[in-house]
Amino acid sequence: TQIDFIPGNFDSRFGDAIGGVINVAPRKGRRDGFHGYIKSDVFDTGILAEGPIGKGSLILAGRRSYIDAILPVVLPKDAGLNFTLAPRYYDYQLLFDYPISGGEFSARVFGSDDRSKLLFSSANDTDPSNNTSLQTVTFFHRADLVYRKQLGPWEFLVTPSYRRDDLSFLITDAFRFHVVSDTFSGRAELSRQLSRRFGLRLGTEFVATAFDLGVTAPVASGGQQTSENTSNLLRPALYLTTTLRLGERLTLFPGARLTYYGVPFTRVQVEPRVRLAWDLADNTTLKAGVGLYAQTPQPREFDAVFGNPRLGLEHALHTSLGVAQALPRDITLEVTGFYKSLWGLARRSESTQLFAGGVRPELEASTGRGYVVGGELLLRKALTRKLFAWLSYTLMRSVRRDAAGEPAYLFNFDQTHIMTAIASYKLPRQWQVGARFRLISGNPYTPNLGGIFDAAQGGYDPIQGPRNSSRLPAFHQLDIRVDKRWIYRRISINAYLDILNIYNHQNTERLTSSYNFQATAPIASLPILPSIGLRLEW
């Protein structure tokens, strides 16, 4: 399976996104016999089986964790949190491929389910009722059909799909968010290489989503407010991507996307985009791109109770410039600078607006602006006989404003430094060692400067400092893996030891405040976690 994360300047096949996209291309099953594996360690067990089915192939795979039974036993008592339901997950995949009428047919069914519930201890035990529980549920199930066929010089592709998502988030009884959505989508493409220098792809995409949204949240006047909303979103689109070679070294990839966003937005969006690759030398390539992107706000933001159904689309202009250099010993180096300008973002509003029933608070408005600027470095040592290595580093700043003239602040998920280093080395006698090191800046947050007692409500209200003016400590962690493999004819047994967070650094996930907001305490992430496992492969 090939998984590509494209952080920006993606082509016109992808829409309704102003950040990045993840493109997943599943592989076909093997047809040279029946193969598979069973893997089990301290945290989960997984299984995969694949083989030929007539002229086609079939892959069946699944995984189930039991970390919810392990973590409450191994976590130290002073960790500051108690898993009433520790992280629990499962996922599954079914991939079927078969040749039909001169083309290739694929059916894919896959999904996952992740749940957790935690109880955070108060930073001041004089008020035990201040303990805070956090519960999350995220699952999806998806079915895709894919048919690809060569029709003379043209290649035809059609991919109908159905997906069901369920996302819920709960903080005690004060805030509840639950959205269930059903999405039907379809894509059809025609592509052709018209000449050695020119190729094109013409496609259409249709997306229809029905969702049920439920939100319960506190209001400024005291008490709570609840919204239950059922709505639909329609998003048909046409797109064109082309490949244009100008000479022997310069290639352009111009394209455009035309999308109609249905109720409640009812507007047409045109998104032109172009990328280029220029071979400056035999081992040096200049890459650049610029394009317009748009997306709908989140369902809560255009909710009739907690948001504003008159919101518009959110927009972004992506620009990037980079160089890829091939180095000796199968090493490649890529350096890319990027800038994204954002506008029309949904932001909280204190204004009012006129509706048919009278005047009401606006709550949300499409006045937000911002930018993301930074650079990326990727150094990769391709897998040779013994060594594989990978180093990526991103330096970035993400800034927002609620409206023109309003003060700027850091984006909630701004991370100045993001670094990942991976290395794996094959030793004699089927031994292998690997390591992964991660360093990530902590997310910004708004600090509490103290609290004021509210006699009417019988509790304390926080005095907040400048928005997102503080930052959590940086996350850093080193993980180690040691493998030993034995091969017996067509069966291999792999024993491995994984040690996560080997130097037991207490990374801060979030801060919890005392009942009177006079003190804070860190909520630490997981401590050092060793895991021993076996993988039987045939």
Side-chain angles (χ1 to χ4, degrees):
T1 300
Q2 179 180 346
I3 302 176
D4 295 318
F5 171 60
I6 310 173
N9 272 322
F10 40 90
D11 70 32
S12 302
R13 296 181 66 245
F14 305 102
D16 197 34
I18 63 174
V21 297
I22 297 177
N23 186 36
V24 180
R27 68 174 177 87
K28 293 183 179 180
R30 298 176 61 176
R31 300 199 66 255
D32 59 343
F34 292 95
H35 303 271
Y37 68 78
I38 299 176
K39 178 193 77 72
S40 185
D41 56 36
V42 173
F43 301 118
D44 60 35
T45 293
I47 185 170
L48 180 144
E50 61 180 316
I53 299 292
K55 297 181 180 180
S57 63
L58 177 68
I59 301 177
L60 291 171
R63 183 178 56 163
R64 175 61 161 89
S65 74
Y66 28 80
I67 190 173
D68 49 335
I70 301 295
L71 280 182
V73 178
V74 302
L75 275 177
K77 300 298 183 182
D78 59 353
L81 57 96
N82 172 38
F83 286 93
T84 57
L85 173 62
R88 190 271 289 161
Y89 56 86
Y90 73 79
D91 56 65
Y92 65 92
Q93 304 88 40
L94 184 154
L95 309 175
F96 174 70
D97 295 277
Y98 203 87
I100 296 179
S101 301
E104 298 178 1
F105 170 77
S106 299
R108 306 163 183 166
V109 180
F110 51 98
S112 69
D113 188 306
D114 298 86
R115 300 169 185 261
S116 66
K117 184 177 181 180
L118 302 94
L119 180 66
F120 296 96
S121 299
S122 169
N124 188 329
D125 291 334
T126 60
D127 186 3
S129 65
N130 192 50
N131 289 354
T132 301
S133 65
L134 172 64
Q135 181 176 345
T136 62
V137 176
T138 304
F139 79 73
F140 81 91
H141 304 285
R142 176 165 176 164
D144 295 343
L145 300 178
V146 181
Y147 186 69
R148 189 188 305 269
K149 184 176 182 178
Q150 195 74 29
L151 299 172
W154 294 90
E155 184 181 80
F156 172 73
L157 171 71
V158 59
T159 60
S161 175
Y162 166 73
R163 173 168 176 154
R164 182 175 180 86
D165 290 88
D166 188 310
L167 171 64
S168 64
F169 186 80
L170 168 66
I171 301 179
T172 60
D173 292 326
F175 180 82
R176 297 171 178 263
F177 175 87
H178 187 204
V179 59
V180 179
S181 62
D182 294 282
T183 300
F184 298 87
S185 63
R187 181 190 299 271
E189 290 182 355
L190 279 174
S191 57
R192 178 176 178 177
Q193 190 68 35
L194 294 172
S195 68
R196 189 177 69 89
R197 297 183 179 273
F198 182 67
L200 65 82
R201 176 192 287 121
L202 178 64
T204 179
E205 182 184 36
F206 178 80
V207 180
T209 301
F211 65 86
D212 295 316
L213 173 67
V215 180
T216 299
V219 293
S221 58
Q224 292 180 325
Q225 192 169 15
T226 298
S227 173
E228 298 288 342
N229 180 31
T230 299
S231 186
N232 302 299
L233 287 176
L234 299 178
R235 184 167 51 85
L238 294 172
Y239 58 87
L240 173 70
T241 66
T242 60
T243 303
L244 179 61
R245 291 187 60 87
L246 302 178
E248 296 302 319
R249 292 187 175 271
L250 178 61
T251 305
L252 297 178
F253 303 93
R257 185 178 181 91
L258 175 68
T259 307
Y260 173 74
Y261 291 87
V263 176
F265 306 100
T266 59
R267 64 191 64 194
V268 175
Q269 181 67 38
V270 179
E271 301 164 71
R273 305 168 189 176
V274 62
R275 296 177 293 118
L276 68 84
W278 185 8
D279 295 328
L280 301 177
D282 290 343
N283 295 317
T284 306
T285 301
L286 177 72
K287 299 179 180 180
V290 60
L292 288 175
Y293 298 83
Q295 72 177 20
T296 60
Q298 295 300 310
R300 183 202 61 79
E301 294 169 333
F302 58 86
D303 177 69
V305 176
F306 288 97
N308 182 2
R310 295 182 179 179
L311 287 179
L313 300 177
E314 299 181 325
H315 301 270
L317 173 68
H318 290 195
T319 59
S320 63
L321 178 65
V323 175
Q325 177 69 49
L327 302 172
R329 300 181 182 275
D330 294 316
I331 298 174
T332 58
L333 172 65
E334 292 188 34
V335 180
T336 304
F338 58 86
Y339 179 83
K340 298 179 183 180
S341 178
L342 312 171
W343 68 95
L345 306 179
R347 287 295 179 264
R348 299 301 294 175
S349 172
E350 302 296 332
S351 302
T352 59
Q353 59 184 179
L354 182 63
F355 269 72
V359 177
R360 55 153 280 180
E362 190 175 44
L363 299 180
E364 298 277 350
S366 299
T367 57
R369 305 183 66 87
Y371 66 86
V372 184
V373 61
E376 298 173 329
L377 180 147
L378 176 60
L379 184 65
R380 179 171 54 191
K381 171 71 169 68
L383 177 63
T384 55
R385 193 168 62 91
K386 291 185 177 181
L387 177 65
F388 168 79
W390 174 296
L391 171 66
S392 67
Y393 171 69
T394 300
L395 176 66
M396 180 180 64
R397 177 53 56 95
S398 184
V399 176
R400 300 289 187 272
R401 295 179 187 270
D402 288 343
E406 293 292 320
Y409 58 91
L410 292 178
F411 179 50
N412 294 343
F413 300 103
D414 173 76
Q415 293 172 326
T416 308
H417 306 282
I418 305 173
M419 186 180 76
T420 302
I422 300 173
S424 178
Y425 190 79
K426 293 183 178 180
L427 298 168
R429 300 182 181 276
Q430 299 292 328
W431 283 91
Q432 182 170 305
V433 295
R436 177 182 65 176
F437 178 75
R438 291 176 291 162
L439 171 65
I440 305 172
S441 297
N443 289 335
Y445 71 93
T446 302
N448 291 326
L449 305 181
I452 297 178
F453 184 72
D454 184 349
Q457 299 295 326
Y460 284 83
D461 294 328
I463 302 174
Q464 292 188 326
R467 186 171 182 179
N468 284 355
S469 58
S470 295
R471 189 183 289 274
L472 295 176
F475 170 95
H476 56 90
Q477 179 173 306
L478 176 63
D479 306 325
I480 301 293
R481 182 182 179 105
V482 180
D483 294 78
K484 167 63 176 175
R485 174 172 292 185
W486 297 269
I487 300 177
Y488 302 97
R489 297 183 179 179
R490 298 184 61 186
I491 296 177
S492 70
I493 301 175
N494 185 33
Y496 57 89
L497 169 65
D498 283 327
I499 305 178
L500 306 182
N501 194 11
I502 191 168
Y503 52 80
N504 197 28
H505 178 64
Q506 297 299 300
N507 290 298
T508 300
E509 290 289 335
R510 55 164 285 178
L511 298 176
T512 182
S513 298
S514 61
Y515 73 96
N516 57 3
F517 300 100
Q518 298 298 319
T520 60
I523 301 300
S525 62
L526 298 177
I528 181 173
L529 288 176
S531 173
I532 298 176
L534 285 173
R535 176 182 170 119
L536 174 66
E537 188 171 351
W538 65 90

